[in-house]
Structures are given as C-alpha cells and as structure tokens.
Amino acid sequence: MPVLAVLARQGRGTAFALAVVVLLLVLAAIGPWIAPYPPLATSPLVLAPPSLAHPFGTDHVGRDIFSRVIVATRLDIAIAVSAVALAAAAGTALGAVSGYAGGLGDRVLSRLIDVMMAFLLFIAAMALVAVFGNSVKSVVLATAIINVPFYFRLARAEVAARRGIGYVEAAVINGAAPLSVIFVFLLPNCLPPVIVQISLNLGWAVLNTSGLAFIGLGVAPPTPEWGVMIQEGAGLMLSGEWWVVTFPGLALVLSVFCFSVIGDAVRDLVDPRRRR
C-alpha cells in the first residue's frame, strides 16, 4: 500500500495536513504561472483590503498579496527541502562512518557535535548567515549545518549498535571493504529514523528561513518570501491594515503545523510502539 495512503488513514488531522503539504508542493512547482498578478508589480491601489480583485488585499506599494504568498511558496519550500537534504546526507554519512570506526576520531566528532547542539539553533543560524554572507545560499547552508547533529547522532547510534551483529561480521570476514560494510549493510538500517527526522525537520526549516528573513538575514525585500512579507506588514497592524501580515503569517503557520503533523504521523508509522 502506498505510504501516502497509509498516512492519510491515520486520522482526519493527518489527512488534512497531507492535503495541505501536497498543495504546497504543487504551488511550489507551478505557483509563478498561476499567480493572478506578477509578484513584484506595483499599482496605485495601495493597502487595499481584501476584495474579489485582490483576495488577500494589497501591500504598502500596491503589490497583490495573494500572488506574493503563492510565489513565495516555491522559495520557502525549496530552501527547506535543500537544507534538510544536505543535512540528512552529510549528517547520516558522517555519523555512520564515525559509529563504525569508533576510537579517537569518533570521540572527537561526538564532542564537536555536542558543542554544536549546546548553542541555540536559531542564534547559530544567524551567526552562520552573517559569516557566509547575506544570501539565499547562506540560509540553505546555515540551516543545513545546524541540522547535521541530529542526523549524525541518529546514524552513529544505529550503526554502533549493529556493527557487531552476525551479517556485518560475515561481510567483514568475506573481505568487504569498510565503506561497503557501512553503506551497503549498515546504512539501510538507519533510514527509518532518518526519514522520521527529515519529516520533522522540514517544518522547522521553513520556520527558520522565514525567521531569518524577518530579521533581515538571507532573503531580502522585495523578494516574495513569507518572512519578508510578515516583516513588511508587522508595522501596519496598529494602523488597521491587518491583511498585510495576516495572510503570509497564516501561510507560514499552516505549513509549519502541517509538516509537524506529517512528521508525527511518519514517526508513528515507523515505530509501532507509538501507534494509538
């Protein structure tokens, strides 16, 4: 049975979250072509409230907020997926090698990972973006780096627990190279918890991207991005233009919430002990 069908059967909340995530992925793929207005196009219709012509209203320079929210989906999802993919690949490979090799190198790497996890992740991301430069690539790299420790610890624990079992020792006796043992016999057993971690990290990566943009790091105006749009509309709440910040804020909250629900559902699916 397809994984998506299994997830959809875990409850109405999971089915709703799955539908929203699928919608986000569709918008990320085709958003720029279905947006009713160019996301950077200004107009004399400044700070217009929601209407039939502009369902989410317009912002302080007359740009259509609905179009900008749709187009921003691609950038936010792309950054989150890229960062999590990099973190999962690097952290899992490094953790697997470290857990299999053991010794001094493993102890040193483990202590470095512990030091990284001692920092507040968002503060660390801010510092890394400041070091790498204020760009989208820096946000991807910084988000990936601060997520590496989670995958490192997962892979290291799984590999260290299995390196002495029968089929691994048989592979070593038959002359398999250490990297072959790691990536052919041990690493596949690490995939279930890694997949769970990926599903949980995606929502946080979206939130981290928007948070950095909100404080002026990474994505900068006038690029359509949820955090940028929230920052632009935050000062207008008191003057009554609530729609400028509300709709990109709802898009961010909904996406993070749905990714988190999917992550919990995947965890329950992988670990039978957590099933209700």
Side-chain angles (χ1 to χ4, degrees):
M1 184 179 296
V3 176
L4 293 181
V6 174
L7 288 175
R9 292 184 179 182
Q10 288 196 299
R12 292 181 180 179
T14 302
F16 170 77
L18 186 61
V20 171
V21 169
V22 170
L23 176 61
L24 289 173
L25 295 176
V26 171
L27 290 178
I30 65 174
W33 291 279
I34 65 173
Y37 300 94
L40 300 180
T42 60
S43 72
L45 199 62
V46 175
L47 293 176
S51 63
L52 290 178
H54 301 280
F56 291 176
T58 62
D59 63 11
H60 61 291
V61 292
R63 296 173 299 200
D64 181 64
I65 297 175
F66 181 65
S67 300
R68 287 176 62 78
V69 168
I70 289 176
V71 174
T73 305
R74 168 177 288 190
L75 181 58
D76 281 287
I77 297 299
I79 291 176
V81 170
S82 300
V84 171
L86 284 174
T92 302
L94 191 61
V97 172
S98 180
Y100 182 76
L104 179 61
D106 175 51
R107 292 194 294 273
V108 171
L109 275 176
S110 297
R111 297 296 79 76
L112 289 175
I113 293 297
D114 290 341
V115 170
M116 289 178 63
M117 297 194 73
F119 290 95
L120 292 175
L121 296 183
F122 188 72
I123 302 299
M126 290 172 54
L128 289 170
V129 171
V131 170
F132 296 144
N134 201 11
S135 67
V136 173
K137 291 182 180 180
S138 298
V139 175
V140 173
L141 188 57
T143 305
I145 289 174
I146 62 177
N147 277 284
V148 163
F150 299 106
Y151 299 97
F152 175 90
R153 296 182 73 172
L154 274 176
R156 179 185 177 276
E158 292 290 332
V159 169
R162 289 178 169 85
R163 64 184 177 185
I165 60 180
Y167 68 88
V168 175
E169 293 182 344
V172 173
I173 292 173
N174 287 329
L179 289 180
S180 297
V181 174
I182 293 171
F183 290 99
V184 175
F185 296 97
L186 287 171
L187 199 56
N189 293 294
C190 303
L191 292 182
V194 168
I195 290 172
V196 172
Q197 187 64 43
I198 288 173
S199 62
L200 292 170
N201 271 161
L202 282 171
W204 184 88
V206 172
L207 184 61
N208 182 71
T209 299
S210 295
L212 290 172
F214 181 83
I215 62 175
L217 295 174
V219 183
T223 305
E225 194 278 331
W226 293 333
V228 169
M229 298 172 69
I230 293 171
Q231 191 276 331
E232 291 176 339
L236 299 172
M237 287 288 290
L238 296 178
S239 58
E241 290 82 11
W242 54 269
W243 57 88
V244 181
V245 69
T246 297
F247 292 110
L250 286 175
L252 175 61
V253 170
L254 188 61
S255 64
V256 173
F257 170 76
C258 289
F259 275 123
S260 298
V261 170
I262 295 297
D264 288 338
V266 172
R267 180 176 55 191
D268 293 344
L269 187 64
V270 171
D271 187 358
R273 295 172 299 178
R274 300 187 63 93
R275 294 177 186 171
R276 298 179 180 86

